[in-house]
Amino acid sequence: MRTKNLPPYAPTLIESTRAIGYSLETAVADIIDNSIAANAKDVIINFFPIDDAYITILDNGKGMTEEEIDVAMQYGSKNPIEERSEKDLGRFGLGLKTASLSQCRCLTVISKQGRYIVGRQWDIDHVSEVGDWSLNVLEEEDIWCIPQIDKLVKNESGTLVVWQKLDRLKAGEFNFELSLGRNIDHVRDHLSLVYHRYLAGESGITKLKISINGENIKGIDPFLSEKSVQVMDDETLVIHGNKILVRPYVLPHISNLSSGEIKLLGGKDGLRKQQGFYIYRNKRLLVWGTWFRMMRKGDLSKLARIRVDIPNTLDHLWTLDIKKSSASPPAEVKKNLEVIINQIAERSKRTWTFRGKKEVSDTETHVWNRMKNKQGGFYYEVNREHPLVQQIIKAYPDIEVSLNALLQQIEMGLPLNQLYVDLNNDEQIINDNEQSDGEIVKSLQEMITMCADKQEKCNLLDAIACIDPYSSHLDIVEKLKEEILKND
């Protein structure tokens, strides 16, 4: 048997890998992964949309030698099954090249260690012209022509990545400067979420500072850890001798969130789409807002989020893709996660329907009764035994028929569909606002005006004490009773 060496044709392969599917934000994140692996503490991103537009990403990491930069610029420089250091966020040895060239036709990488500076460049137009894997080795005079090089030189060490010939970003845009501004917003939001644990300086990792055009990025905690409830203890799954840490959260009810918090937690897609698993690899967020088909996304589970930390030693089991934006848990992990899903989904349901919990409690008197019809569906009717309804009928017996007719019209006109829409818009509704003590007192005083004597007033207050929200203000009810008995 003979063998024949068939290396891929460079122009074709490079053009093909440009279509892997990177967005601008995922491409930038792939470069930052390399900065983190190089122990960088600062990453400076600059977008320059005018004339010969470019994008630069500069870090103050350990930098690279001649040999290391050649390896970094080589396609497939690392085997994905090789063991890596814990800080390594790469896998295929393709990210730097495929991410960069998905956005531009010219990638320049310059690295510094002490007094030594080395530079390499992939220029797709040059590769197409010569028809070979021809990497440009930059001389000193070439290096000094690269944008932002003066900032790299000021560092003791670091790496500068430069994207030029931004053909993909310019394609179909009438106003490139305006469109790039919108893209910058997407990049900022993406990095704020993906690296939020690095930006916060979480224990065990070096705190990272990222800026875009001079503006520092603030991390977005998708669990709102300070206000959310960790409904279960951390659970550790051991797969092939490697530990996976699982931490479930239930977000606060919308009534307890500010509009800014709702926007941060839900993003442009809303809370419903952001529920589910948040998969971290070495504390870098990979995938979020999915249940991996183990449960449907529902409105009652939209407050549930589960943080899952996996090591890079299990990449092959999670079928991590080149862009690091897609992963799927292995069957042995799914089995353990299903138990956690059922528990946290139920807790989310109870939190979301917290105002309805009293509707099924025998210790409370409710305004609305939830009824089941013959077809198996549900409808709501006003509780005719409610103390206030009974007191009105007792005080004004002549209006009982008219009152019942009015209540029936209210029941028939209940806008259930609109209520469903309003509740799922991640917006606070006024019914969720708590009443002040003064408002409670005024409301109670208005109710007892229809009573004939002090005993009837006290009896009404006793009945009202079992009604929300007055059941949470029993001290006010008792004080009002004392005043009635003392004054009358």
Side-chain angles (χ1 to χ4, degrees), residues 406-419:
L406 174 61
L407 294 180
Q408 287 177 356
Q409 288 300 311
I410 292 172
E411 293 162 349
M412 293 173 62
L414 190 63
L416 292 175
N417 290 333
Q418 186 58 48
L419 284 171

Side-chain angles (χ1 to χ4, degrees), residues 443-451 457 460-461 480 484:
S443 175
L444 290 172
Q445 289 174 336
E446 289 174 349
M447 292 179 192
I448 61 176
T449 55
M450 68 181 77
C451 299
K457 290 179 180 179
L460 179 59
L461 288 174
L480 189 58
I484 291 170

Side-chain angles (χ1 to χ4, degrees), residues 40 59 117 132-133 189 237 280 283 298 347 356 394 406 475:
D59 70 49
I117 299 180
D132 200 0
W133 296 97
D189 292 343
L237 311 178
Y280 293 82
K283 300 188 179 181
R347 181 60 180 266
K394 183 178 180 180
L406 174 61
D475 55 331

Side-chain angles (χ1 to χ4, degrees), residues 339-358:
V339 178
I340 298 172
I341 283 178
N342 293 333
Q343 295 182 32
I344 192 173
E346 180 59 32
R347 181 60 180 266
S348 172
K349 177 181 178 181
R350 291 200 301 269
T351 301
W352 180 243
T353 59
F354 78 108
R355 290 227 174 248
K357 68 181 184 293
K358 299 181 178 62

Side-chain angles (χ1 to χ4, degrees), residues 129-347:
E129 182 180 342
V130 300
D132 200 0
W133 296 97
S134 180
L135 178 68
N136 293 330
V137 178
L138 303 187
E139 303 297 340
E140 184 176 348
E141 59 269 22
D142 301 316
I143 290 175
W144 282 105
C145 295
I146 300 301
Q148 304 291 320
I149 186 62
D150 56 318
K151 294 182 179 179
L152 172 63
V153 171
K154 291 178 182 178
N155 291 343
E156 178 63 27
S157 62
T159 298
L160 174 66
V161 176
V162 183
W163 297 348
Q164 295 170 293
K165 301 181 183 179
L166 305 173
D167 62 327
R168 291 294 176 88
L169 292 175
K170 291 182 177 180
E173 297 292 347
F174 293 104
N175 188 332
F176 175 63
E177 188 173 349
L178 181 62
S179 68
L180 189 60
R182 291 194 298 266
N183 283 326
I184 291 174
D185 291 337
H186 296 322
V187 172
R188 182 181 294 107
D189 292 343
H190 184 78
L191 301 183
S192 297
L193 179 60
V194 168
Y195 297 105
H196 74 91
R197 296 169 75 177
Y198 286 88
L199 293 167
E202 185 174 307
S203 175
I205 55 179
T206 302
K207 186 172 183 178
L208 184 66
K209 177 182 174 183
I210 304 175
S211 66
I212 298 180
N213 289 358
E215 181 182 344
N216 291 337
I217 291 178
K218 296 180 180 180
I220 297 175
D221 177 8
F223 310 105
L224 202 63
S225 306
E226 294 182 356
K227 294 180 69 172
S228 297
V229 177
Q230 188 181 334
V231 294
M232 299 164 54
D233 292 334
D234 292 352
E235 184 160 339
T236 301
L237 311 178
V238 180
I239 306 296
H240 297 187
N242 298 279
K243 292 182 179 180
I244 297 175
L245 183 66
V246 182
R247 178 175 294 180
Y249 287 93
V250 171
L251 302 179
H253 188 271
I254 286 178
S255 62
N256 296 320
L257 296 174
S258 67
S259 57
E261 288 171 336
I262 293 173
K263 183 178 179 180
L264 286 177
L265 292 169
K268 66 180 189 304
D269 296 321
L271 287 173
R272 189 179 190 276
K273 289 192 176 181
Q274 300 302 322
Q275 65 183 280
F277 290 106
Y278 283 65
I279 310 298
Y280 293 82
R281 175 174 173 264
N282 296 349
K283 300 188 179 181
R284 188 265 206 208
L285 184 58
L286 294 177
V287 182
W288 61 92
T290 175
W291 290 115
F292 294 120
R293 298 186 179 182
M294 287 185 275
M295 182 176 79
R296 292 181 60 186
K297 286 186 177 181
D299 293 309
L300 296 182
S301 60
K302 69 181 182 180
L303 300 178
R305 299 185 177 188
I306 302 178
R307 195 181 89 182
V308 181
D309 279 292
I310 65 173
N312 58 12
T313 50
L314 294 180
D315 284 353
H316 61 293
L317 292 180
W318 285 77
T319 58
L320 183 66
D321 70 353
I322 291 175
K323 304 190 302 296
K324 286 171 281 189
S325 61
S326 174
S328 180
E332 48 203 311
V333 174
K334 274 188 174 182
K335 185 176 180 180
N336 289 279
L337 293 180
E338 283 175 350
V339 178
I340 298 172
I341 283 178
N342 293 333
Q343 295 182 32
I344 192 173
E346 180 59 32
R347 181 60 180 266

